[in-house]
Amino acid sequence: MEVRRHDTDDRGTERWRRLALPLLAADPHTNTVALTALAEVAGGATGIDTLLTVHDGADRVVGAALRFRGFALLVSGLPAAAAAAVADALGDAPMADRGVFGAAPATDAFAAARSARTGETAVTDVEMRLWVLDGLVAPTGVDGVARAAVEGDGPMVAQWLRAFAADVAADHPGRPDPDGDEAPAGGPDPATLVAQQRALGRDVVVWEVGGTPVAFAVGRGPAAGATRIGPVYTPPERRGHGYASAVTAAATARALAAGARGVVLFTDTAADVPNRIYARIGYGPAGLHREVRLVPARTRVR
């Protein structure tokens, strides 16, 4: 197998897209993170700093990977057999601050190849379950209604995104700082946040009871026919009333109405409640993904 690095300027990115997108789009569920992020680049999302393709002896594209600036290397599109060659192609620059994310077989194979090359230790920060919609079952008996977020919701959405990021950090204290899907301090301007999300093709859905917002969910723009839902958040004082189920079902229904052929989402495998509620509204488990840090040999693992 031959690994080819591609320039990340406009010309190189376009060439990589022509080669890689057919392969990634053939499995839009497993490759949802890469595909949705690529779709959002045109809307102003973060830039790309690594692009590569893997070719067999007949010059067919059999693998693809990419990394957005400051994010993990996305490896779901890599065959396990190419892991050592990809590790060689990327060289020895430390990856601890960005790590690797992807379907478990691809992530495990690359992490093992990387460790063999550099002596880094692979540390799983989050193990995630991919869920794919089988058939939507909207919950009944939940107070409230769904609506699209409006510009005035920006400060609330920004606050809830920060709270979501804080929950993730509390559950996984060794994990590096959350990525741009959450809103850390100094992130988007709350006054324009909803408009910015809309410009990226995202559908921010709010669940409200008696005119008071109690939960929200974000539907990503469809990529290769599949929409990804997330994040979903309910403030602690509002939990236990079915709002997360209801707003996720509402976001799912909106995605289907907008033309999505499939809908997916991720959960932390250690989070019991989300894993139960998504199964109840019609999602089925479709494999594990991992977020892995590669810690240099001289660095103590937290």
Side-chain angles (χ1 to χ4, degrees):
M1 291 186 182
E2 178 189 0
V3 179
R4 297 178 190 169
R5 299 285 299 269
H6 298 264
D7 292 336
T8 57
D9 58 12
D10 290 346
R11 185 175 179 180
T13 299
E14 180 57 32
R15 174 173 172 75
W16 179 89
R17 283 177 177 268
R18 289 198 305 269
L19 293 169
L21 282 183
L23 180 135
L24 297 177
D27 188 354
H29 299 156
T30 300
N31 294 305
T32 178
V33 173
L35 289 167
T36 53
L38 284 165
E40 291 179 354
V41 167
T46 188
I48 298 169
D49 75 3
T50 301
L51 294 169
L52 61 85
T53 50
V54 181
H55 301 251
D56 67 11
D59 202 29
R60 292 176 298 226
V61 178
V62 296
L66 72 159
R67 180 168 56 205
F68 291 86
R69 197 167 298 121
F71 290 67
L73 180 71
L74 302 177
V75 298
S76 288
L78 290 178
V86 172
D88 288 344
L90 290 175
D92 299 332
M95 295 177 63
D97 291 339
R98 293 175 290 190
V100 184
F101 178 82
T107 300
D108 292 348
F110 177 79
R114 177 79 187 189
S115 295
R117 177 184 170 89
T118 66
E120 291 165 308
T121 299
V123 178
T124 298
D125 281 321
V126 187
E127 184 167 86
M128 307 181 81
R129 179 167 286 111
L130 176 68
W131 297 82
V132 176
L133 184 69
D134 292 328
L136 182 60
V137 181
T140 59
V142 180
D143 289 339
V145 295
R147 64 168 175 82
V150 297
E151 279 71 11
D153 292 319
M156 174 194 72
V157 173
Q159 179 183 351
W160 285 359
L161 285 169
R162 285 191 291 270
F164 176 84
D167 283 354
V168 172
D171 289 341
H172 302 282
R175 184 187 185 220
D177 289 340
D179 66 30
D181 284 349
E182 298 96 17
D189 180 355
T192 59
L193 176 59
V194 173
Q196 290 171 345
Q197 295 282 304
R198 194 177 298 123
L200 292 172
R202 299 177 181 178
D203 182 28
V204 182
V205 183
V206 174
W207 191 265
E208 61 180 21
V209 177
T212 299
V214 296
F216 88 112
V218 179
R220 308 303 178 101
T227 290
R228 176 161 52 94
I229 305 295
V232 177
Y233 182 75
T234 307
E237 68 275 11
R238 300 290 187 178
R239 294 173 187 171
H241 300 286
Y243 301 145
S245 298
V247 77
T248 303
T252 301
R254 288 172 63 91
L256 294 172
R261 298 191 299 274
V263 187
V264 304
L265 54 81
F266 285 102
T267 60
D268 186 333
T269 57
D272 180 61
V273 172
N275 283 285
R276 286 189 283 108
I277 67 174
Y278 297 134
R280 286 202 298 265
I281 63 173
Y283 284 85
L288 297 178
H289 282 58
R290 299 196 220 288
E291 183 180 301
V292 172
R293 269 181 297 150
L294 293 162
V295 180
R298 297 179 183 177
T299 302
R300 179 176 296 178
V301 178
R302 291 179 292 174

